[in-house]
Amino acid sequence: MTPDPFRPDLSRLGAATRLVHGGTQRSHHGETSEALFLTSGYVYDDAEQAEATFAGTVEHYQYSRFANPTVAMLEQRLCLIEGAEECRTTATGMAAVNAALLSHLKAGDRVVAARALFGSCHWIVSTLLPKFGIEAEFVDGADLAQWQAALSRRTDLVLLETPSNPMLELVDLPAVAELAHVAGAIVVVDNVFATPLLQQPLKLGADVVVYSCTKHIDGQGRVLGGAVLGRGKWINDVLQPFIRNTGPALSPFNAWVLLKGIETLALRVDAASRTAATIADVLARHPGVTRVWYPMRADHKQQALARRQMSAGGTVVTFEVAGGKDGAFQVMNRLQLIAVSNNLGDSKSLATHPATTTHMRIGEQERARLGITDGAIRLSIGLEDAPDIEQDLRQALCVPPARMSGLAANGP
Ligand SMILES: *Cc1c(COP(=O)(O)O)cnc(C)c1O
């Protein structure tokens, strides 16, 4: 298992090329597609080789909780696409976030996080970390003054998501990274919504990037997975011992599915982002829609920031209809093509009502702070033809004549 010595330096080639070829290591069989090494352990030529492997003087796979050839191909490919020195993958996105935080932090440390976090990330910061004596403070991610105030004290770690779920609020990455570094903190960015193609946090000042590979990287709703990327020294000295000993390892089978999924990431994210931008415009003009949130639109209050740090608006559009929860449920229940789901980043378009599902547990007060109204619907745009998605939304948003006139729907 060695990389082909005649291969070009992939880091100099385009993103789509890296997504197809990055990290590939062929076995002596010369297979075209990445091999699936579905093995938990490895054997040695002799006892001496085993001893040397454990002493670290010989490189040899030991155990798939530590490393596996299929998983290593995925990690190498993710490094190449992110421009990171090192990567470790995990069984889920949450295992990646948990490992990044718990490997770095200790009792007495302090974390500052943007309030608009994925629900389970919010739980780790607000509920789990304080149990271990780690102080946590939340700020409004879009408000630099709040970051400045929170980071005027010594801080050890900053966690944020940009664009955020589900209101697509942005955090100014270079500005927050500068404040965080002065306060002594590393910056961990959950880059799920932007994907590694539309935003590269490491180039904008972040120290660590985490992914739920479950979303766009698989992109076809099949497997769970996570990834942590950063500098070699931090990954090897801080993260690796934590992962090795606590065991959030990604299954080689899921790594293989993700390797095949990521080959089409550029095609999928590009197509879905273009459709999402079109759908955002359609929704904004529709009389049945009261508001639309989409990062690159002129009516997004951080459009200039979106243009500075993202290359496209992404695959998620959030919109609001009148009538609160009832209004939103009526629209969602009329959808025929778009499925009701709490997932995102799938090839199938999905609609979510955050207030009663993904963001139900955070409570009414926190939802109000995040601007999540009862009429808000999050749309994850898939790979269907844009006119079909548009048509489905138009028929769902159209108030049936029966309701408008008070007459039975099917009769004069
Ligand atoms: C889905 C998601 C996660 C968690 O990932 P899992 O793979 O479901 O564990 C974390 N952050 C964001 C932004 C997500 O969308």
Side-chain angles (χ1 to χ4, degrees):
M1 289 279 295
T2 43
D4 182 343
F6 302 110
R7 287 169 69 84
D9 176 4
L10 282 165
S11 64
R12 293 171 186 278
L13 302 181
T17 308
R18 278 175 274 148
L19 288 168
V20 174
H21 291 281
T24 301
Q25 304 232 343
R26 294 207 162 93
S27 78
H28 64 283
H29 295 301
E31 64 280 355
T32 310
S33 175
E34 295 72 10
L36 169 52
F37 290 93
L38 202 54
T39 180
S40 49
Y42 305 85
V43 298
Y44 305 94
D45 293 340
D46 45 40
E48 284 77 10
Q49 193 188 33
E51 181 189 33
T53 301
F54 275 74
T57 54
V58 159
E59 256 194 64
H60 194 291
Y61 285 101
Q62 286 166 274
Y63 190 48
S64 288
R65 171 148 51 79
F66 310 161
N68 169 281
T70 307
V71 173
M73 286 192 259
L74 174 64
E75 292 173 342
Q76 190 53 37
R77 191 168 291 179
L78 287 167
C79 276
L80 274 165
I81 201 67
E82 193 72 41
E85 289 174 11
E86 285 281 352
C87 170
R88 291 294 178 278
T89 50
T90 53
T92 67
M94 282 324 304
V97 174
N98 186 53
L101 266 53
L102 290 190
S103 66
H104 188 80
L105 295 166
K106 61 182 186 310
D109 279 358
R110 176 178 146 81
V111 172
V112 174
R115 180 167 282 119
L117 285 182
F118 184 75
S120 294
C121 300
H122 196 279
W123 182 86
I124 288 180
V125 175
S126 65
T127 308
L128 183 67
L129 296 183
K131 270 177 55 179
F132 296 96
I134 298 159
E135 182 194 329
E137 183 177 342
F138 286 98
V139 297
D140 289 341
D143 186 348
L144 264 185
Q146 288 193 28
W147 283 110
Q148 206 151 16
L151 293 171
S152 62
R153 288 171 53 199
R154 186 197 59 80
T155 302
D156 299 282
L157 188 144
V158 162
L159 176 65
L160 62 92
E161 207 182 298
T162 178
S164 70
N165 174 25
M167 303 317 289
L168 306 175
E169 184 181 274
L170 270 55
V171 177
D172 187 331
L173 282 173
V176 170
E178 197 181 323
L179 291 168
H181 292 153
V182 170
I186 63 160
V187 177
V188 180
V189 175
D190 183 336
N191 202 37
V192 164
F193 272 53
T195 82
L197 297 172
L198 305 184
Q199 173 175 275
Q200 277 97 39
L202 298 178
K203 295 195 181 87
L204 297 165
D207 303 284
V208 176
V209 178
V210 291
Y211 286 102
S212 165
C213 301
T214 315
K215 311 296 163 54
H216 306 83
I217 290 173
D218 172 26
Q220 289 145 89
R222 299 165 296 191
V223 299
L224 300 168
V228 186
L229 297 112
R231 287 186 202 92
K233 189 168 166 46
W234 185 84
I235 297 272
N236 289 318
D237 297 353
V238 178
L239 185 75
Q240 174 67 12
F242 182 91
I243 285 191
R244 187 184 165 104
N245 293 301
T246 62
L250 178 66
S251 147
F253 179 78
N254 289 1
W256 180 81
V257 173
L258 291 168
L259 270 167
K260 304 318 289 177
I262 205 172
E263 289 186 344
T264 55
L265 184 69
L267 293 169
R268 289 184 285 104
V269 169
D270 185 51
S273 290
R274 276 189 283 114
T275 304
T278 305
I279 294 296
D281 292 343
V282 166
L283 290 169
R285 285 193 301 266
H286 197 285
V289 171
T290 49
R291 262 190 90 175
V292 168
W293 292 265
Y294 189 69
M296 291 288 174
R297 275 182 56 81
D299 58 2
H300 190 286
K301 62 177 196 271
Q302 297 163 298
Q303 186 202 29
L305 175 60
R307 285 191 172 158
R308 280 205 302 280
Q309 65 186 26
M310 298 176 73
S311 57
T315 66
V316 176
V317 182
T318 299
F319 67 103
E320 184 192 58
V321 294
K325 176 184 161 184
D326 285 349
F329 274 29
Q330 281 177 29
V331 170
M332 289 176 72
N333 290 341
R334 280 196 289 259
L335 290 169
Q336 293 170 0
L337 181 67
I338 301 169
V340 175
S341 173
N342 50 279
N343 204 3
L344 63 97
D346 199 289
S347 53
K348 296 174 172 66
S349 290
L350 305 172
T352 308
H353 186 244
T356 54
T357 60
T358 54
H359 291 71
M360 181 256 290
R361 272 179 220 287
I362 65 171
E364 201 171 339
Q365 197 184 342
E366 193 71 357
R367 278 199 298 280
R369 277 175 126 162
L370 294 174
I372 304 172
T373 63
D374 287 347
I377 298 171
R378 184 190 75 192
L379 267 187
S380 170
I381 298 296
L383 300 178
E384 302 92 341
D385 290 297
D388 294 336
I389 298 173
E390 177 179 339
Q391 177 50 34
D392 195 30
L393 286 164
R394 282 193 190 282
Q395 65 79 24
L397 284 162
C398 162
V399 180
R403 271 175 221 278
M404 292 174 81
S405 62
L407 293 171
N410 60 346

